[in-house]
Structures are given as C-alpha cells and as structure tokens.
Amino acid sequence: MVNGKDNRPALKPAIIVVFGVTGDLAQRYLLPALYHLFKDNLLHEHTEIIGLTRQNLTAEDLFARVELCVNEIDKVCDPVALKAMQEKTHLLQFDPNTGEDYIKLLEDLNGTEEKHGQCMNRLYYLSIPPNIFKTTVQNLGQYGLNQSCQHGVADTRLLVEKPFGYDRTSAKELIAETGKVFREEQVFRIDHYLAKETV
C-alpha cells in the first residue's frame, strides 16, 4: 500500500481445476493454501474450485477429511472464509485416461462461466503422479482444454508440481510433450516443497 492506495493488481475471476484433489499433496498443502487465499481476500469473488478425483465424493465429503486450518494458531477455521470456500468448490469424478471425462470437464468449465456470465481464467493444477502427466497433458490438448474460455479471451495455465518426470531424460520428454499442447508462457513448473508458499 502506497499513499493510502492498494497497488496490488486487480483480481480476475478464475476457475482452479485441481487434478488429484484427494491426494496427499492437495489435502496437506494445496487446499489449506487455497483456504488462506479465501480468508485473506486474495481471490476474485467469482473464483471457483473444481476438484477432480477417481473417487465418488462430494465437496462435503472432501472437506470432512481435510484439515484446512492447520496453520491457524488455534487450528480453527474462520467461518466466513470456510463457508466461502465450500460454496465455491465442487468435485467431479474423473479418470485422466478417459476421454469422455475431459469432455465432461469442458462442459463443466463452460457451465461455470455461463453461471457467472463472464469469461474466466483457467488454471489446471496437476497434483498427480508423474506417470500420468503425459497422458493428462495430451488429453487436455486433444479435447480443447488448452484454449481460452468460450466467451472471449482469458488466460489458461498449466501448473505442474515437481517431480517433473523421473530423471533428466523423462523431464525433457515431458517438457517437449507439454510444449505441443501449451505455450511456454502458459506453463508453470513448481518445486514440490515450495509450492504451498508460492500458491
């Protein structure tokens, strides 16, 4: 804040798609980090979270098993922030190897934008094992999920957590495959142990 003015860039509405939302990484780090973004009003009011999982779960089921407020002094969530996050989160049963599920995801993204009546940025957060990165990225491209929103222009980003492949060779291969689907400026590669702070 300078001269009484908030100089942060204007927040934009976004859809955050978490692949592997029921995994250890998402539950221990990513979801608590997102809770704090809600709590600190660092997300646009129309931001939504779509959690993808092979399991047949609802958002209520997910939140019942996640400790979102482990970093709070008393480990108690702020009720307003918690309610906001819960209302903005829904889950889809999703198999990254099944093409039909990518079609359903795209329909869900488009439906979310129609609900809010505006174009929204899209972030695909791959909180999944390295052995399915390649298939997932290829399917995102094949089914048009690497494009902008249907109503206009917005940013579509891919965030991949370390480990990025198994070794140097597999990492190079994954970078090459990702480059066939997403432009370099669309891709974020992030260190596994720094991710929660960066997010």
Side-chain angles (χ1 to χ4, degrees), residues 176-191:
E177 289 297 326
T178 302
K180 295 176 183 177
V181 178
F182 292 92
R183 300 184 310 278
E184 182 61 27
E185 62 268 23
Q186 290 181 281
V187 181
F188 294 92
R189 301 175 191 89
I190 194 166
D191 184 277

Side-chain angles (χ1 to χ4, degrees), residues 5-179:
K5 295 181 179 180
D6 190 343
N7 293 317
R8 291 180 297 183
L11 299 174
K12 296 181 180 180
I15 306 172
I16 302 170
V17 183
V18 182
F19 287 74
V21 74
T22 52
D24 185 65
L25 174 64
Q27 293 195 33
R28 291 183 59 198
Y29 298 111
L30 179 56
L31 291 172
L34 287 169
Y35 158 76
H36 281 281
L37 291 177
F38 275 100
K39 180 184 175 186
D40 296 334
N41 295 313
L42 293 174
L43 296 172
H44 189 279
E45 62 179 333
H46 291 306
T47 292
E48 300 244 0
I49 300 169
I50 301 175
L52 305 181
T53 175
R54 294 177 190 265
Q55 301 175 45
N56 184 17
L57 295 174
T58 65
E60 288 183 356
D61 296 330
L62 176 66
F63 285 117
R65 56 200 260 186
V66 177
E67 293 185 40
L68 291 174
C69 308
V70 292
N71 295 323
E72 299 293 305
I73 294 175
D74 53 6
K75 299 197 182 318
V76 176
C77 289
D78 175 87
V80 174
L82 181 59
K83 182 181 179 184
M85 184 175 180
Q86 290 175 333
E87 289 176 347
K88 299 288 186 177
T89 302
H90 69 276
L91 267 57
L92 292 179
Q93 191 168 13
F94 184 90
D95 182 341
N97 298 306
T98 302
E100 291 179 358
D101 286 356
Y102 290 85
I103 296 171
K104 292 176 184 176
L105 174 58
L106 182 57
E107 290 172 349
D108 195 278
L109 290 168
N110 292 338
T112 299
E113 290 183 347
E114 288 173 3
K115 178 177 73 173
H116 291 287
Q118 61 185 308
C119 202
M120 302 172 74
N121 291 336
R122 298 173 179 183
L123 171 65
Y124 304 118
Y125 196 115
L126 301 190
S127 178
I128 55 178
N131 64 320
I132 55 174
F133 280 0
K134 182 178 177 180
T135 299
T136 301
V137 170
Q138 288 174 337
N139 282 328
L140 286 170
Q142 181 177 346
Y143 293 96
L145 288 149
N146 57 338
Q147 304 300 316
S148 184
C149 63
Q150 60 178 341
H151 300 301
V153 178
D155 292 325
T156 297
R157 308 287 196 203
L158 176 74
L159 194 154
V160 183
E161 289 249 0
K162 183 183 177 184
F164 197 74
Y166 303 100
D167 52 25
R168 187 172 183 175
T169 301
S170 61
K172 284 184 175 181
E173 180 183 355
L174 186 53
I175 289 170
E177 289 297 326
T178 302

